[in-house]
Amino acid sequence: MEIRDYYDVIFKRRSVKKYDQTPLDEKTLEEISNQIKSLKPLYDNIKTEVKIIPLEQVETKKKQAPHYMAVFSEPKGNYLVNTGYMLQQMDLFLSGNDIGSCWQGSPRPKEDILKNSDLEFIIVMSFGKPKKSKELHREGASDFKRKPLSEISMVKDADKIVEAARLAPSAGNSQPWFFTGDENMIHAYGSKPYAVKEHKAPKVQKYNTISIGIAIYHLHVALERFGKKAEIVSDEKARTNAPENYEYVVSLKVE
Ligand SMILES: Cc1cc2nc3c(=O)[nH]c(=O)nc-3n(C[C@H](O)[C@H](O)[C@H](O)COP(=O)(O)O)c2cc1C
């Protein structure tokens, strides 16, 4: 399996929801497992673990896939942003190698798997061969149902970079992000849960925050493509200047 240029994959990936139930062969699973070992975290000081688990060890009713990967993390700092950032690397790796995948909010690993980790279970991603190969990729950016750039960004002189975040997947396609700043410093905000019942707010907040991590990974890939590097920082001024209905998450200092 190749590690393709993830930038190109951003413009064609899609969530695969219907799978061929035949498990992937051992060699492919081993290569996926090796790729998991090379995932880059956003924060080095947050312990994480990603485990591949077969369908039999997952509590799920619908949209079954032959395989899942489950993320476990130490629940500290921006750990949900970190989870989104890390596992999106797998989404792009799999899509770039013609394997379908989908972030999944409802399935959970069975108790045996949960009690085998000291870390907190965060989320799973399903993966396997798609039932129909035409459901693997999109034709191009116009095939994505996404908000226009003007609704999610006020960043100056960095449309090409923010475009990669615009196309990122998010829970329920809610696209809960907003970006401000300029080509040297991009500030990321997440929407506050609104129009949801109070008891649902923590869940919405959790998936929104993971989705911001996904979008930040897409920003990183685009910055790299254009020969730039980004460092993750916290900016107090940006925190206090959040756009209405959004809260500050992190900033990317671009070099
Ligand atoms: C954090 C997160 C949770 C998600 N949970 C589910 C889910 O439970 N079931 C599902 O079918 N899709 C789920 N999705 C996939 C989204 O529905 C999908 O990414 C979005 O509709 C955009 O479509 P695309 O990924 O094909 O571009 C989830 C995505 C994210 C990022």
Side-chain angles (χ1 to χ4, degrees):
M1 288 168 93
E2 277 178 64
I3 301 172
R4 289 171 190 272
D5 184 341
Y6 288 164
Y7 182 74
D8 295 337
V9 183
I10 287 175
F11 293 85
K12 63 176 191 176
R13 65 150 297 285
R14 71 187 310 162
S15 292
V16 169
K17 304 204 177 187
K18 289 184 189 153
Y19 294 89
D20 175 344
Q21 294 303 318
T22 319
L24 297 170
D25 61 65
E26 281 303 317
K27 185 170 171 281
T28 304
L29 283 174
E30 201 183 313
E31 288 184 58
I32 294 172
S33 187
N34 284 338
Q35 188 61 24
I36 286 174
K37 287 182 201 134
S38 72
L39 293 181
K40 292 187 181 65
L42 196 52
Y43 299 96
D44 290 332
N45 63 342
I46 301 178
K47 264 194 225 149
T48 54
E49 201 179 0
V50 181
K51 291 186 187 179
I52 295 184
I53 42 182
L55 172 63
E56 305 77 71
Q57 289 173 347
V58 178
E59 303 273 6
T60 181
K61 289 183 196 87
K62 30 179 206 168
K63 294 178 188 156
Q64 294 185 338
H67 309 282
Y68 291 79
M69 55 184 87
V71 190
F72 297 81
S73 173
E74 223 179 337
K76 74 176 196 191
N78 278 335
Y79 70 108
L80 295 173
V81 181
N82 194 47
T83 298
Y85 183 91
M86 287 182 77
L87 213 56
Q88 187 56 14
Q89 296 166 41
M90 288 312 292
D91 177 77
L92 297 179
F93 173 77
L94 292 168
S95 183
N97 283 290
D98 296 343
I99 296 174
S101 66
C102 184
W103 284 89
Q104 295 269 324
S106 331
R108 282 175 72 77
K110 288 191 174 158
E111 211 42 51
D112 279 0
I113 304 268
L114 291 178
K115 70 175 190 235
N116 258 331
S117 180
D118 296 336
L119 305 173
E120 186 176 300
F121 164 66
I122 310 295
I123 195 163
V124 301
M125 178 177 280
S126 56
F127 67 100
K129 280 196 205 103
K131 203 164 186 179
K132 293 187 187 147
S133 58
K134 70 174 174 33
E135 284 172 8
L136 188 56
H137 292 134
R138 291 186 164 98
E139 298 285 326
S142 59
D143 234 7
F144 284 75
K145 279 192 193 134
R146 297 291 191 268
K147 296 177 189 170
L149 206 55
S150 58
E151 271 183 43
I152 62 151
S153 174
M154 279 174 25
V155 182
K156 288 188 204 82
D157 306 321
D159 283 6
K160 270 192 181 167
I161 305 294
V162 185
E163 173 68 0
R166 187 181 79 83
L167 301 179
S170 56
N173 203 23
S174 60
Q175 306 160 65
W177 38 66
F178 196 89
F179 304 96
T180 67
D182 57 32
E183 63 201 307
N184 302 314
M185 182 76 120
I186 300 174
H187 307 296
Y189 298 87
S191 66
K192 293 181 186 165
Y194 65 94
V196 290
K197 295 206 172 93
E198 210 177 313
H199 71 280
K200 287 199 173 159
K203 209 167 180 186
V204 171
Q205 180 87 344
K206 171 179 171 179
Y207 295 132
N208 279 358
T209 313
I210 293 174
S211 304
I212 305 292
I214 295 173
I216 289 174
Y217 185 65
H218 280 205
L219 288 177
H220 262 269
V221 171
L223 285 165
E224 248 179 36
R225 164 54 83 98
F226 295 104
K228 300 194 167 163
K229 280 197 171 153
E231 189 193 338
I232 206 85
V233 295
S234 189
D235 185 298
E236 283 319 302
K237 204 167 155 209
R239 185 183 298 280
T240 49
N241 280 322
E244 204 180 338
N245 298 325
Y246 288 89
E247 54 202 356
Y248 177 71
V249 183
V250 286
S251 303
L252 282 98
K253 192 172 166 210
V254 183
E255 282 148 24

